[in-house]
Amino acid sequence: MRRRTKSSLLWGAIGALTFLVLAQGYLIGVGLLPTSYVGIVVIGVTIGGTVGTVSYLAEPWLAAKGRT
C-alpha cells in the first residue's frame, strides 16, 4: 500500500475514533444525544471518510509547501 493512502486511512480512523470517543463521553457525562447509537456510528464513519479524503487530497499541496 502506498504511503499516502496508508496515511490518509490512518487519519480517517483517527477522525472517526475521536468523534466516537467524544460522543461516548457526552453520553456518560451529560446525557442522551438527539440520535440513536446507529446514527452516532454513521456520523463517525462519515467524519472518518471526510477526514481521510481531505488528508489524501491535501497531502500533495502541503508537501509542495514543505510542510510534511
Side-chain angles (χ1 to χ4, degrees), residues 8-9 11-13 15-16 42-56:
S8 66
L9 288 173
W11 277 113
V42 168
I43 293 168
V45 169
T46 303
I47 289 173
T50 303
V51 169
T53 302
V54 168
S55 69
Y56 185 84

Side-chain angles (χ1 to χ4, degrees), residues 26-58:
Y26 185 88
L27 286 169
I28 291 170
V30 178
L32 294 176
L33 290 169
T35 184
S36 66
Y37 289 112
V38 174
I40 293 171
V41 171
V42 168
I43 293 168
V45 169
T46 303
I47 289 173
T50 303
V51 169
T53 302
V54 168
S55 69
Y56 185 84
L57 295 174

